Amino acid sequence: EDREMAGMGRLCSVLGAVLLVAYATVAAAGEISTSRPFLIDSQVVDMQWVNSTRKDAKPHDKVVFVRSARGSIYRSTDDGLNWVSQRDKIAEEDEEPFQSRVQQMLFSKAHADYAVLHGYSDVSWYTKDQGATYARHSFGAMVEMKLHPTNPEWVLASKYEGEFPSRYLSLFVSVDFGKSWKKLSSNVFQFEWADPGAKGRQERTIYACVRKQDTQPKKTLTSWDPNIDFVVSHDFFGSSKVVVEHGNRFAVHPPYWFVAAMNPEEELEVKMWVSSDGGTSYQTSHFPYQLSERSYRVVDSKEGSVFVQVTHSQRDMVFANVYLSGEDGRMYSLTLRHVVKDFKGMSDFERVNGVDGVYIANTADTGAKPQFTLAGGLQAILGGQVDGMVPTKTSITFDKGGMWSPLKAPEKDSRGHRVDCDSKCSLHLNGKTSHRYGPVYSSPTSTGLIMATGNVGQHLHARADEVNTYFSRDAGRTWEEILKGSYIYEYGDHGALMVLADNTKATREVIYSWNEGLNWTHFEFWDHQIEVENIITEPTGASQIFIIYGRRHDKGVLMQLNFETLHERRCLGVESPGSDVSDYEEWTPSDALRSGKCLLGRKVTYTRRKRAARCFNGRDYDRKESEYACACARTDFECDFGYQLNSKKECERVPDMPLAGFGAPDDCSGSFTITRGYRKVPGDRCIGGEASMWEPSKRSCPGFGGTGTVILFVLASLAVVLGVFTYQRRKEQGMTMPWQSVGDAVDFLKEGGRSVFSSAASRGGYRGLGTEMLEDDDFGLGEDDDDAQVLGGSLADYALGTSSSSPAHAAPATNAGTAGAGPIDVAIDLINLDEGGG
C-alpha cells in the first residue's frame, strides 16, 4: 500500500508540474504575472538560490531549491515559476519515503554547480550540475558535513563510531565528492576547513577540537573536558599541532576566529581566545569586568570589530549585555545593557545593512514596572517571549555604539492624523525575538531603507491592534507609519520596489509600492487565502521577481510574483543626480547627534532614485558613491577600556577598575601613551579637528634620566629631611640616637627611602602613571598583589546594571591594557557553562 501511495505521489508530482505550466497566469502587458500556487507536503524551512551571483546566469534561469519540514526537496530552474519534486531523482523504487528525506542542503562556494543533499539516513546525494542529476553515496549516518571553500570535490564529515555508551565522533575526508572516504581522526568534537588564502594556511589545513590520545572522556557528554584541545593540521592529520590548549569550542566569523578554552582547575571557568587574521595567531580576550559570563554569542563582526552578547547569570535568561571590541577583537567594553533575547539566544540587536555604524536594539526598561498580563505570561511560557511582560524600549546608534538615543516618532500616522507623543514617548520596533510581527529589516542593496513593525509610546507593545508598520529612508533618523497593522516585507530592484503581505492572518493579496510607500496598490494573487510566512527575492536584491511562501491547511504553498511585466519605464539620469531631468538624487547619511553630514568620521554620498520617480533601476544598476574624511569631533570617540559614560555624556573611570594597562609597559622605550578616557570608534576615519582633545596623551618612559632624575632627587631630599627631623626630636626628648655611626645613618636613609618609594608605589598600585591617575583610595585595592585583583562590589553592580549611579547606556571601549583580564567565564555561540557544551 505504501508503495502504491508513493507511485501515486510521483504521478501527482508530474501532473502538478504539467498543470503548473499550463495554468501559469501570464497577465497582459502592464499587469503582474503570477504562477499557479504549488503545494508541497509541509511548510518551507529552507530556500536557497544556487547561481544568483553568477555573471553568466540569465535573468530568468536562476535555480532555486526548497526543503520542507518533512525533508522533501523541490527545485525550480526559472526563479520559482515552476517547481519539481526531487524525490523521483533521489529515491530508489522500493525505498520507504523516510529513507529519501534530507536534513540539510549544502552548496559549494568553490563552484556554483556543486551541492550536497545531506540525508537523515546513511545516504546523501551529490550533484555537479545544480540538481539536474544526482550521485547517490552511502557512508553511514553522517552527523555534520563541510564543503571545502576552494576545491569543490573535497568534503569533510563526522559520524559516530563505537558502541553505546562509549560512542565517539570520528572525522573523515573525501577528495572525490563522496565516492570514497578516509578516516582522519577519532574523538573530534568540532571541525572546519581553513581559508587556504590566509597566511600560513594550505588547501589541506583543518581546524578541530580533538580529545588527547589515551585519555578518558567525561562521564557526561555535556561537560567541558580539559583533555580536549583546539588543534590545526596541514596534512589531513598526518600530523597536528595544538593551537589553544583545553580549547573545547570555536566559532568562525571571518576574519575572526574565537576559541573557548576551559581552565583545567575549574570546570566552569573558560577563557576566550581570538584570532583576527583568519586563524593564524591567537591571543586572549579581555572584558572590563571579572564576572561570570554564562553564555556568549557573536552578534556582528562585519565592520572591523566585534559585537558580542554576554549573559551574566542564570536569572538573566531573557537579557544580555552587549560588548564591543577593537579592531583586533580582543579588548571588549560594554556598549548596551539588558538587550532583549529569547531562550534560544537570538537577540534584538540589528545592524542596518548598507550604512556603516548604524544599529537598532531593544533593551529592558529596568526602571518600569513589569507588565504582568495573561497573554504575556503565556508567551513567556510557551514561546519564550518577553514582549508583553517586560517593558521594552528601542534605541538607535549612529556611531557604532558610542551613544544610543530613542527613535524619533513620526508626526503623522498612515491616515494623515497627528501623532501625540510627548518627551517620554518614542517609536519602538519589534526585533527577531518577537516571532509574531515583522522584525527590523534592511538590505545591503537598498541603502538607507528600513522597514519594521512596532508602535509609538513609552514601551513596545504586544497587542495586535497597537502594532503598525513603519518605514525609514534615511537609515533611521526619521520614521513614518506606512500601514496599519503588521506586515512582512521585501525590497526588489535595489529598493525601488516594496512588496508587503499581512502576516497576522490568512490573506489572498499583497500590497506593493513603486515610490517607497507614498502610494500603495493591492494585488490579489489567488482566489484562496494562505498564511503568508515570507516574501523573498534573490540574494542580490536586484530582481523584480519574488517568491511568496506560506501555509494552507497542512500544506506548504509556493508562488512566484513577477513585477517585470508591469513594464514600468527605466530610470534615467543616473549621471546627473539632482537635476530636473534626472530620476536620481544624492543622499548623505549623517549622525543624528552631530551637526553636518558626517557618519563615522566620513561624508559618504550615495546616488539613489528619487522617491516619487515611478521607474525601475534594472539588474545592472550600479549605485554610485563618493567619500570624504570629516574633521574629528566628540562623536567620533567613545569611552576607552575601563571608562563609562556619566549623566553628562562624559567618559569617567569605571568604579573599582584596576590601573593595570594604563601605565608604561614593561618594555617601555622612549615614550608611551596615557588614555584620556576616550578612543576613536573602530572604523571611524575622521582626521584632525578636535582629535587632540580626546586621543591619548604622550608621556616619557619612567627611568633615571630626565623627569626620573628629578623625582629621585626630590625623594632623596625628603629622606634627608626626615632623617634630620627624627634626629632632632629624639635628641630633644633624651632618647637613644637612631644611629651611632655614618654606616647606621646610611642604613637609616636606605630604609627611609625604601619606605617612601613603597608608599608612593602602593598609592597608585602600578608604576609609570600620569599624575592625574594617582588618586588615593579610588579603586579599593589591597596592598597584597593577589588582593589587588579582587574587584569591589560596586563594579559588579555596574556591570549588571544594579547600581543606582550607573548610566542607562555605557559606551564601549578598547585599549591594549590588561585591566580585569582574569579568567572569563564565556561560552561560544550560546554554550551554557552550567550545562556544558552539548
Side-chain angles (χ1 to χ4, degrees), residues 298-353:
V298 176
V299 293
D300 186 75
S301 61
K302 296 181 179 179
E303 294 183 10
S305 57
V306 182
F307 280 102
V308 300
Q309 70 180 43
V310 179
T311 301
H312 287 284
S313 65
Q314 285 185 313
R315 62 183 175 85
D316 291 332
M317 295 302 293
V318 292
F319 306 115
N321 286 354
V322 173
Y323 296 81
L324 174 64
S325 79
E327 293 182 356
D328 60 0
R330 294 182 57 220
M331 309 296 291
Y332 291 86
S333 292
L334 184 66
T335 182
L336 201 57
R337 287 195 194 90
H338 304 307
V339 175
V340 176
K341 71 181 184 72
D342 61 19
F343 291 97
K344 296 180 180 179
M346 194 69 68
S347 61
D348 284 353
F349 191 91
E350 192 70 38
R351 177 178 185 264
V352 175
N353 293 297

Short mmCIF file of all heavy atoms in Angstrom, two decimals, residues 298-353:
data_model
loop_
_atom_site.label_atom_id
_atom_site.label_comp_id
_atom_site.label_asym_id
_atom_site.label_seq_id
_atom_site.Cartn_x
_atom_site.Cartn_y
_atom_site.Cartn_z
N VAL A 298 28.39 35.87 19.26
CA VAL A 298 28.80 36.95 18.37
C VAL A 298 27.57 37.41 17.60
O VAL A 298 26.92 36.62 16.93
CB VAL A 298 29.90 36.48 17.40
CG1 VAL A 298 30.24 37.59 16.41
CG2 VAL A 298 31.15 36.06 18.16
N VAL A 299 27.23 38.70 17.72
CA VAL A 299 26.03 39.21 17.04
C VAL A 299 26.37 40.01 15.79
O VAL A 299 25.52 40.20 14.93
CB VAL A 299 25.17 40.06 17.99
CG1 VAL A 299 24.59 39.19 19.08
CG2 VAL A 299 25.97 41.20 18.60
N ASP A 300 27.62 40.49 15.66
CA ASP A 300 28.01 41.20 14.45
C ASP A 300 29.53 41.32 14.41
O ASP A 300 30.17 41.58 15.43
CB ASP A 300 27.38 42.59 14.39
CG ASP A 300 27.65 43.30 13.07
OD1 ASP A 300 27.00 42.92 12.07
OD2 ASP A 300 28.52 44.17 13.02
N SER A 301 30.09 41.14 13.22
CA SER A 301 31.54 41.27 13.06
C SER A 301 31.88 41.78 11.66
O SER A 301 32.91 41.42 11.10
CB SER A 301 32.23 39.91 13.29
OG SER A 301 31.78 38.95 12.34
N LYS A 302 31.02 42.63 11.10
CA LYS A 302 31.16 42.99 9.69
C LYS A 302 31.78 44.36 9.44
O LYS A 302 31.92 44.76 8.31
CB LYS A 302 29.78 42.94 9.02
CG LYS A 302 29.18 41.55 8.99
CD LYS A 302 27.83 41.55 8.30
CE LYS A 302 27.23 40.15 8.25
NZ LYS A 302 25.91 40.12 7.60
N GLU A 303 32.16 45.08 10.50
CA GLU A 303 32.70 46.42 10.28
C GLU A 303 34.04 46.62 10.97
O GLU A 303 34.32 47.66 11.54
CB GLU A 303 31.70 47.47 10.76
CG GLU A 303 30.42 47.50 9.95
CD GLU A 303 29.47 48.61 10.40
OE1 GLU A 303 29.89 49.47 11.20
OE2 GLU A 303 28.32 48.63 9.94
N GLY A 304 34.87 45.59 10.98
CA GLY A 304 36.21 45.72 11.53
C GLY A 304 36.27 45.66 13.04
O GLY A 304 37.29 46.05 13.63
N SER A 305 35.23 45.18 13.70
CA SER A 305 35.22 44.96 15.14
C SER A 305 34.12 43.95 15.43
O SER A 305 33.41 43.52 14.53
CB SER A 305 34.99 46.28 15.90
OG SER A 305 33.78 46.87 15.49
N VAL A 306 33.99 43.58 16.71
CA VAL A 306 33.07 42.50 17.06
C VAL A 306 32.12 42.95 18.16
O VAL A 306 32.55 43.49 19.18
CB VAL A 306 33.85 41.26 17.55
CG1 VAL A 306 32.89 40.12 17.87
CG2 VAL A 306 34.86 40.81 16.50
N PHE A 307 30.82 42.74 17.93
CA PHE A 307 29.81 42.88 18.97
C PHE A 307 29.50 41.49 19.52
O PHE A 307 29.24 40.56 18.74
CB PHE A 307 28.52 43.48 18.43
CG PHE A 307 28.53 44.97 18.26
CD1 PHE A 307 28.70 45.53 17.01
CD2 PHE A 307 28.38 45.81 19.35
CE1 PHE A 307 28.71 46.91 16.84
CE2 PHE A 307 28.38 47.19 19.19
CZ PHE A 307 28.54 47.74 17.94
N VAL A 308 29.54 41.34 20.84
CA VAL A 308 29.17 40.06 21.45
C VAL A 308 28.13 40.32 22.53
O VAL A 308 28.12 41.36 23.17
CB VAL A 308 30.39 39.33 22.07
CG1 VAL A 308 31.43 39.03 21.03
CG2 VAL A 308 30.99 40.14 23.20
N GLN A 309 27.25 39.35 22.70
CA GLN A 309 26.28 39.42 23.79
C GLN A 309 26.68 38.42 24.86
O GLN A 309 27.08 37.30 24.57
CB GLN A 309 24.86 39.15 23.30
CG GLN A 309 24.60 37.71 22.89
CD GLN A 309 23.18 37.50 22.40
OE1 GLN A 309 22.65 38.30 21.67
NE2 GLN A 309 22.58 36.39 22.81
N VAL A 310 26.60 38.85 26.11
CA VAL A 310 27.02 38.01 27.23
C VAL A 310 25.91 38.00 28.27
O VAL A 310 25.42 39.06 28.67
CB VAL A 310 28.33 38.54 27.86
CG1 VAL A 310 28.73 37.67 29.05
CG2 VAL A 310 29.46 38.57 26.84
N THR A 311 25.52 36.81 28.69
CA THR A 311 24.57 36.66 29.78
C THR A 311 25.36 36.40 31.05
O THR A 311 26.15 35.46 31.11
CB THR A 311 23.61 35.49 29.51
OG1 THR A 311 22.91 35.75 28.29
CG2 THR A 311 22.60 35.35 30.63
N HIS A 312 25.14 37.21 32.07
CA HIS A 312 25.98 37.15 33.26
C HIS A 312 25.47 36.20 34.32
O HIS A 312 26.23 35.80 35.20
CB HIS A 312 26.12 38.55 33.88
CG HIS A 312 27.00 39.46 33.08
ND1 HIS A 312 28.37 39.37 33.08
CD2 HIS A 312 26.71 40.48 32.24
CE1 HIS A 312 28.88 40.29 32.29
NE2 HIS A 312 27.88 40.98 31.76
N SER A 313 24.21 35.84 34.30
CA SER A 313 23.70 34.94 35.33
C SER A 313 22.48 34.21 34.80
O SER A 313 21.87 34.61 33.82
CB SER A 313 23.32 35.72 36.60
OG SER A 313 22.25 36.61 36.33
N GLN A 314 22.14 33.12 35.47
CA GLN A 314 21.00 32.32 35.03
C GLN A 314 19.69 33.07 35.15
O GLN A 314 18.75 32.82 34.41
CB GLN A 314 20.94 31.03 35.87
CG GLN A 314 21.99 30.00 35.46
CD GLN A 314 21.81 28.71 36.22
OE1 GLN A 314 21.64 28.70 37.42
NE2 GLN A 314 21.83 27.60 35.51
N ARG A 315 19.61 34.01 36.08
CA ARG A 315 18.36 34.75 36.24
C ARG A 315 18.13 35.72 35.11
O ARG A 315 17.04 36.26 34.96
CB ARG A 315 18.36 35.50 37.58
CG ARG A 315 19.46 36.54 37.70
CD ARG A 315 19.44 37.18 39.09
NE ARG A 315 20.55 38.10 39.29
CZ ARG A 315 20.54 39.36 38.92
NH1 ARG A 315 19.48 39.84 38.32
NH2 ARG A 315 21.59 40.13 39.15
N ASP A 316 19.15 35.98 34.30
CA ASP A 316 19.02 36.90 33.18
C ASP A 316 18.91 36.12 31.86
O ASP A 316 19.61 36.41 30.90
CB ASP A 316 20.23 37.85 33.12
CG ASP A 316 20.25 38.82 34.28
OD1 ASP A 316 19.16 39.14 34.78
OD2 ASP A 316 21.33 39.24 34.69
N MET A 317 18.05 35.12 31.82
CA MET A 317 17.93 34.28 30.64
C MET A 317 17.30 35.02 29.47
O MET A 317 17.41 34.58 28.33
CB MET A 317 17.12 33.02 30.95
CG MET A 317 17.80 32.09 31.95
SD MET A 317 19.43 31.55 31.40
CE MET A 317 18.99 30.56 30.00
N VAL A 318 16.61 36.12 29.72
CA VAL A 318 15.97 36.85 28.62
C VAL A 318 16.64 38.20 28.38
O VAL A 318 16.12 39.02 27.63
CB VAL A 318 14.46 37.05 28.89
CG1 VAL A 318 13.75 35.71 28.85
CG2 VAL A 318 14.23 37.74 30.22
N PHE A 319 17.80 38.44 29.01
CA PHE A 319 18.54 39.67 28.78
C PHE A 319 20.02 39.34 28.63
O PHE A 319 20.50 38.31 29.12
CB PHE A 319 18.37 40.66 29.94
CG PHE A 319 16.94 40.97 30.26
CD1 PHE A 319 16.38 40.61 31.47
CD2 PHE A 319 16.15 41.62 29.33
CE1 PHE A 319 15.06 40.89 31.76
CE2 PHE A 319 14.83 41.90 29.61
CZ PHE A 319 14.29 41.53 30.82
N ALA A 320 20.74 40.24 27.99
CA ALA A 320 22.19 40.07 27.86
C ALA A 320 22.82 41.43 27.68
O ALA A 320 22.20 42.35 27.14
CB ALA A 320 22.53 39.17 26.67
N ASN A 321 24.04 41.57 28.16
CA ASN A 321 24.82 42.77 27.89
C ASN A 321 25.54 42.60 26.56
O ASN A 321 25.98 41.51 26.22
CB ASN A 321 25.84 43.02 28.99
CG ASN A 321 25.21 43.53 30.27
OD1 ASN A 321 24.01 43.80 30.30
ND2 ASN A 321 26.00 43.67 31.32
N VAL A 322 25.68 43.68 25.82
CA VAL A 322 26.39 43.64 24.54
C VAL A 322 27.69 44.43 24.68
O VAL A 322 27.70 45.56 25.18
CB VAL A 322 25.54 44.22 23.40
CG1 VAL A 322 26.35 44.33 22.12
CG2 VAL A 322 24.33 43.32 23.16
N TYR A 323 28.79 43.81 24.25
CA TYR A 323 30.12 44.40 24.34
C TYR A 323 30.67 44.61 22.93
O TYR A 323 30.35 43.86 22.00
CB TYR A 323 31.06 43.50 25.13
CG TYR A 323 30.67 43.32 26.58
CD1 TYR A 323 29.68 42.41 26.95
CD2 TYR A 323 31.28 44.05 27.58
CE1 TYR A 323 29.31 42.24 28.26
CE2 TYR A 323 30.93 43.88 28.92
CZ TYR A 323 29.94 42.98 29.25
OH TYR A 323 29.57 42.81 30.57
N LEU A 324 31.54 45.60 22.80
CA LEU A 324 32.18 45.90 21.51
C LEU A 324 33.69 45.81 21.66
O LEU A 324 34.27 46.29 22.64
CB LEU A 324 31.79 47.30 21.03
CG LEU A 324 32.49 47.82 19.76
CD1 LEU A 324 32.12 46.95 18.56
CD2 LEU A 324 32.14 49.27 19.50
N SER A 325 34.34 45.22 20.67
CA SER A 325 35.80 45.09 20.68
C SER A 325 36.45 46.16 19.82
O SER A 325 35.77 46.89 19.08
CB SER A 325 36.20 43.72 20.14
OG SER A 325 36.12 43.70 18.72
N GLY A 326 37.78 46.20 19.89
CA GLY A 326 38.55 46.99 18.95
C GLY A 326 38.76 46.20 17.68
O GLY A 326 38.17 45.14 17.47
N GLU A 327 39.64 46.69 16.81
CA GLU A 327 39.83 46.04 15.52
C GLU A 327 40.42 44.64 15.64
O GLU A 327 40.19 43.80 14.77
CB GLU A 327 40.72 46.91 14.64
CG GLU A 327 40.06 48.24 14.24
CD GLU A 327 40.94 49.07 13.34
OE1 GLU A 327 42.09 48.65 13.08
OE2 GLU A 327 40.48 50.13 12.88
N ASP A 328 41.19 44.39 16.72
CA ASP A 328 41.79 43.07 16.86
C ASP A 328 40.86 42.06 17.51
O ASP A 328 41.19 40.89 17.65
CB ASP A 328 43.10 43.15 17.65
CG ASP A 328 42.90 43.71 19.05
OD1 ASP A 328 41.75 44.03 19.41
OD2 ASP A 328 43.91 43.85 19.78
N GLY A 329 39.67 42.50 17.94
CA GLY A 329 38.70 41.59 18.52
C GLY A 329 39.03 41.12 19.92
O GLY A 329 38.38 40.20 20.43
N ARG A 330 40.00 41.73 20.59
CA ARG A 330 40.46 41.23 21.89
C ARG A 330 39.87 41.98 23.08
O ARG A 330 39.44 41.39 24.05
CB ARG A 330 41.99 41.33 21.99
CG ARG A 330 42.76 40.43 21.03
CD ARG A 330 44.25 40.61 21.28
NE ARG A 330 44.58 40.32 22.66
CZ ARG A 330 45.46 41.03 23.37
NH1 ARG A 330 46.06 42.08 22.84
NH2 ARG A 330 45.73 40.70 24.61
N MET A 331 39.90 43.31 23.04
CA MET A 331 39.53 44.12 24.19
C MET A 331 38.07 44.55 24.07
O MET A 331 37.70 45.24 23.13
CB MET A 331 40.43 45.35 24.29
CG MET A 331 41.92 45.03 24.22
SD MET A 331 42.48 44.03 25.61
CE MET A 331 42.31 45.20 26.94
N TYR A 332 37.25 44.13 25.03
CA TYR A 332 35.80 44.37 24.96
C TYR A 332 35.35 45.34 26.05
O TYR A 332 35.82 45.27 27.18
CB TYR A 332 35.04 43.05 25.10
CG TYR A 332 35.21 42.15 23.92
CD1 TYR A 332 36.29 41.28 23.83
CD2 TYR A 332 34.32 42.19 22.85
CE1 TYR A 332 36.47 40.47 22.73
CE2 TYR A 332 34.48 41.38 21.75
CZ TYR A 332 35.56 40.52 21.70
OH TYR A 332 35.73 39.71 20.60
N SER A 333 34.44 46.22 25.67
CA SER A 333 33.86 47.15 26.62
C SER A 333 32.34 47.19 26.42
O SER A 333 31.82 46.97 25.33
CB SER A 333 34.44 48.55 26.42
OG SER A 333 35.81 48.56 26.81
N LEU A 334 31.66 47.49 27.50
CA LEU A 334 30.19 47.48 27.48
C LEU A 334 29.65 48.59 26.60
O LEU A 334 30.05 49.74 26.73
CB LEU A 334 29.68 47.64 28.91
CG LEU A 334 28.17 47.57 29.11
CD1 LEU A 334 27.65 46.18 28.79
CD2 LEU A 334 27.82 47.95 30.55
N THR A 335 28.73 48.24 25.73
CA THR A 335 28.06 49.24 24.90
C THR A 335 26.59 49.37 25.21
O THR A 335 26.00 50.43 25.06
CB THR A 335 28.24 48.93 23.40
OG1 THR A 335 27.61 49.96 22.64
CG2 THR A 335 27.65 47.60 23.02
N LEU A 336 25.94 48.29 25.68
CA LEU A 336 24.50 48.35 25.93
C LEU A 336 24.11 47.25 26.92
O LEU A 336 24.51 46.10 26.77
CB LEU A 336 23.73 48.17 24.63
CG LEU A 336 22.28 48.67 24.57
CD1 LEU A 336 22.21 50.15 24.90
CD2 LEU A 336 21.69 48.41 23.20
N ARG A 337 23.34 47.64 27.94
CA ARG A 337 22.87 46.68 28.94
C ARG A 337 21.47 46.18 28.65
O ARG A 337 20.68 46.84 28.00
CB ARG A 337 22.83 47.34 30.33
CG ARG A 337 24.17 47.59 30.97
CD ARG A 337 23.95 47.89 32.45
NE ARG A 337 25.15 48.45 33.03
CZ ARG A 337 25.39 49.75 33.07
NH1 ARG A 337 24.53 50.60 32.55
NH2 ARG A 337 26.49 50.21 33.61
N HIS A 338 21.18 44.99 29.17
CA HIS A 338 19.83 44.43 29.20
C HIS A 338 19.20 44.37 27.81
O HIS A 338 18.02 44.67 27.63
CB HIS A 338 18.93 45.24 30.13
CG HIS A 338 19.44 45.35 31.53
ND1 HIS A 338 19.80 44.26 32.28
CD2 HIS A 338 19.66 46.44 32.33
CE1 HIS A 338 20.21 44.66 33.47
NE2 HIS A 338 20.15 45.98 33.52
N VAL A 339 19.97 43.94 26.81
CA VAL A 339 19.42 43.73 25.48
C VAL A 339 18.52 42.51 25.52
O VAL A 339 18.87 41.46 26.07
CB VAL A 339 20.55 43.54 24.45
CG1 VAL A 339 19.98 43.19 23.07
CG2 VAL A 339 21.40 44.79 24.36
N VAL A 340 17.35 42.64 24.92
CA VAL A 340 16.36 41.56 24.97
C VAL A 340 16.80 40.40 24.09
O VAL A 340 17.25 40.58 22.96
CB VAL A 340 14.99 42.08 24.50
CG1 VAL A 340 13.96 40.95 24.45
CG2 VAL A 340 14.50 43.18 25.44
N LYS A 341 16.68 39.18 24.61
CA LYS A 341 16.96 37.98 23.82
C LYS A 341 15.95 36.91 24.20
O LYS A 341 15.28 37.00 25.24
CB LYS A 341 18.39 37.49 24.06
CG LYS A 341 18.66 36.88 25.42
CD LYS A 341 20.11 36.45 25.52
CE LYS A 341 20.39 35.76 26.85
NZ LYS A 341 19.79 34.41 26.91
N ASP A 342 15.84 35.89 23.34
CA ASP A 342 14.94 34.80 23.65
C ASP A 342 15.73 33.64 24.26
O ASP A 342 16.94 33.72 24.45
CB ASP A 342 14.14 34.35 22.42
CG ASP A 342 15.04 33.85 21.29
OD1 ASP A 342 16.22 33.51 21.55
OD2 ASP A 342 14.57 33.80 20.14
N PHE A 343 15.04 32.55 24.57
CA PHE A 343 15.69 31.44 25.25
C PHE A 343 16.62 30.66 24.34
O PHE A 343 17.40 29.83 24.80
CB PHE A 343 14.63 30.51 25.86
CG PHE A 343 13.88 31.12 27.00
CD1 PHE A 343 12.65 31.71 26.82
CD2 PHE A 343 14.43 31.12 28.27
CE1 PHE A 343 11.96 32.28 27.88
CE2 PHE A 343 13.76 31.69 29.33
CZ PHE A 343 12.52 32.27 29.14
N LYS A 344 16.55 30.91 23.05
CA LYS A 344 17.48 30.30 22.10
C LYS A 344 18.73 31.15 21.90
O LYS A 344 19.63 30.74 21.17
CB LYS A 344 16.78 30.06 20.76
CG LYS A 344 15.63 29.07 20.83
CD LYS A 344 14.99 28.88 19.46
CE LYS A 344 13.83 27.90 19.53
NZ LYS A 344 13.17 27.72 18.20
N GLY A 345 18.74 32.34 22.49
CA GLY A 345 19.91 33.20 22.38
C GLY A 345 19.81 34.27 21.32
O GLY A 345 20.70 35.12 21.22
N MET A 346 18.76 34.26 20.50
CA MET A 346 18.59 35.29 19.48
C MET A 346 18.23 36.61 20.15
O MET A 346 17.35 36.66 20.99
CB MET A 346 17.48 34.88 18.52
CG MET A 346 17.46 35.71 17.25
SD MET A 346 18.88 35.37 16.20
CE MET A 346 18.51 33.69 15.70
N SER A 347 18.94 37.68 19.79
CA SER A 347 18.74 38.96 20.47
C SER A 347 18.20 40.02 19.52
O SER A 347 18.34 39.93 18.30
CB SER A 347 20.06 39.46 21.08
OG SER A 347 21.04 39.65 20.07
N ASP A 348 17.58 41.03 20.11
CA ASP A 348 17.06 42.17 19.35
C ASP A 348 18.17 43.21 19.19
O ASP A 348 18.11 44.32 19.73
CB ASP A 348 15.86 42.79 20.07
CG ASP A 348 14.62 41.96 19.91
OD1 ASP A 348 14.65 40.99 19.16
OD2 ASP A 348 13.60 42.28 20.58
N PHE A 349 19.18 42.85 18.46
CA PHE A 349 20.31 43.74 18.17
C PHE A 349 20.58 43.63 16.68
O PHE A 349 21.09 42.62 16.21
CB PHE A 349 21.54 43.32 18.99
CG PHE A 349 22.66 44.33 18.96
CD1 PHE A 349 22.75 45.31 19.92
CD2 PHE A 349 23.63 44.28 17.97
CE1 PHE A 349 23.78 46.24 19.92
CE2 PHE A 349 24.66 45.21 17.95
CZ PHE A 349 24.74 46.18 18.92
N GLU A 350 20.21 44.65 15.92
CA GLU A 350 20.17 44.55 14.46
C GLU A 350 21.05 45.59 13.80
O GLU A 350 20.97 46.78 14.11
CB GLU A 350 18.73 44.72 13.97
CG GLU A 350 18.52 44.36 12.53
CD GLU A 350 18.64 42.86 12.28
OE1 GLU A 350 18.19 42.08 13.14
OE2 GLU A 350 19.19 42.47 11.24
N ARG A 351 21.89 45.13 12.90
CA ARG A 351 22.71 46.04 12.09
C ARG A 351 21.90 46.54 10.91
O ARG A 351 21.19 45.78 10.26
CB ARG A 351 23.94 45.30 11.58
CG ARG A 351 24.85 46.11 10.67
CD ARG A 351 26.07 45.27 10.28
NE ARG A 351 27.03 46.03 9.50
CZ ARG A 351 27.08 46.02 8.18
NH1 ARG A 351 26.23 45.29 7.49
NH2 ARG A 351 27.98 46.75 7.54
N VAL A 352 21.98 47.85 10.63
CA VAL A 352 21.33 48.42 9.46
C VAL A 352 22.26 48.22 8.27
O VAL A 352 23.31 48.86 8.17
CB VAL A 352 21.01 49.91 9.66
CG1 VAL A 352 20.43 50.50 8.37
CG2 VAL A 352 20.02 50.08 10.81
N ASN A 353 21.90 47.30 7.39
CA ASN A 353 22.75 46.95 6.26
C ASN A 353 22.86 48.09 5.26
O ASN A 353 21.88 48.79 4.99
CB ASN A 353 22.21 45.70 5.56
CG ASN A 353 22.30 44.47 6.42
OD1 ASN A 353 23.38 44.02 6.79
ND2 ASN A 353 21.14 43.92 6.77
#
